[in-house]
Amino acid sequence: APLDDAYFALRKGDYQNALVLVMPYAENGVPFAQYVVGAIMDGGFGNPDHKPDEAVKWYQRAAEKGHPEAQT
Protein backbone atom coordinates (compact mmCIF):
# COMPACT_ATOMS: atom_id res chain seq x y z
CA ALA A 1 0.00 0.00 0.00
CA PRO A 2 2.78 2.57 0.64
CA LEU A 3 4.03 2.11 -2.90
CA ASP A 4 0.49 2.64 -4.15
CA ASP A 5 0.33 5.80 -2.04
CA ALA A 6 3.62 6.92 -3.61
CA TYR A 7 2.17 6.35 -7.07
CA PHE A 8 -0.89 8.44 -6.25
CA ALA A 9 1.33 11.18 -4.83
CA LEU A 10 3.29 11.19 -8.10
CA ARG A 11 0.08 11.45 -10.10
CA LYS A 12 -0.85 14.53 -8.04
CA GLY A 13 2.60 16.08 -8.51
CA ASP A 14 3.53 15.65 -4.84
CA TYR A 15 7.10 14.50 -5.50
CA GLN A 16 8.40 15.11 -1.99
CA ASN A 17 5.71 12.93 -0.43
CA ALA A 18 6.28 10.25 -3.06
CA LEU A 19 9.98 10.21 -2.19
CA VAL A 20 9.22 10.00 1.53
CA LEU A 21 6.96 7.00 0.90
CA VAL A 22 9.22 5.11 -1.51
CA MET A 23 12.64 5.93 -0.04
CA PRO A 24 12.55 3.37 2.80
CA TYR A 25 11.97 0.61 0.25
CA ALA A 26 14.73 1.92 -1.99
CA GLU A 27 17.15 2.12 0.92
CA ASN A 28 16.25 -1.46 1.87
CA GLY A 29 17.22 -2.69 -1.59
CA VAL A 30 13.90 -3.04 -3.43
CA PRO A 31 14.88 -2.65 -7.10
CA PHE A 32 11.54 -1.23 -8.25
CA ALA A 33 11.64 1.40 -5.50
CA GLN A 34 15.24 2.24 -6.40
CA TYR A 35 14.19 2.70 -10.00
CA VAL A 36 11.28 4.95 -8.99
CA VAL A 37 13.59 7.11 -6.86
CA GLY A 38 15.96 7.38 -9.81
CA ALA A 39 13.13 8.31 -12.13
CA ILE A 40 11.80 10.98 -9.78
CA MET A 41 15.25 12.48 -9.37
CA ASP A 42 15.79 12.30 -13.12
CA GLY A 43 12.79 14.55 -13.69
CA GLY A 44 10.45 11.71 -14.45
CA PHE A 45 6.76 11.91 -13.65
CA GLY A 46 7.00 15.64 -14.34
CA ASN A 47 9.25 16.45 -11.39
CA PRO A 48 10.84 19.86 -12.04
CA ASP A 49 13.56 19.34 -9.40
CA HIS A 50 16.16 17.36 -11.35
CA LYS A 51 19.10 15.77 -9.55
CA PRO A 52 20.85 13.77 -12.27
CA ASP A 53 23.78 12.63 -10.12
CA GLU A 54 21.42 11.18 -7.53
CA ALA A 55 19.28 9.63 -10.26
CA VAL A 56 22.28 7.76 -11.69
CA LYS A 57 23.12 6.30 -8.27
CA TRP A 58 19.60 4.95 -7.80
CA TYR A 59 19.32 3.66 -11.36
CA GLN A 60 22.64 1.87 -10.92
CA ARG A 61 21.53 0.21 -7.69
CA ALA A 62 18.32 -1.01 -9.35
CA ALA A 63 20.22 -2.16 -12.46
CA GLU A 64 22.67 -4.18 -10.37
CA LYS A 65 19.68 -6.04 -8.94
CA GLY A 66 18.33 -6.82 -12.40
CA HIS A 67 15.66 -4.16 -12.88
CA PRO A 68 15.27 -4.11 -16.69
CA GLU A 69 14.30 -0.44 -17.16
CA ALA A 70 17.15 0.66 -14.90
CA GLN A 71 19.56 -1.41 -16.97
CA THR A 72 18.70 0.61 -20.06
Side-chain angles (χ1 to χ4, degrees):
L3 291 178
D4 290 337
D5 292 342
Y7 172 76
F8 290 120
L10 287 173
R11 299 277 296 166
K12 293 189 306 186
D14 186 357
Y15 307 106
Q16 290 302 326
N17 190 39
L19 278 172
V20 166
L21 292 167
V22 78
M23 190 61 77
Y25 295 93
E27 290 172 340
N28 282 320
V30 177
F32 176 73
Q34 292 171 330
Y35 173 76
V36 169
V37 170
I40 293 170
M41 294 194 175
D42 198 21
F45 308 105
N47 182 17
D49 186 20
H50 300 223
K51 296 179 182 167
D53 292 339
E54 285 295 311
V56 168
K57 288 185 220 176
W58 287 105
Y59 283 145
Q60 186 170 13
R61 290 176 185 176
E64 289 170 356
K65 293 196 171 164
H67 192 277
E69 286 89 356
Q71 291 175 338
T72 59

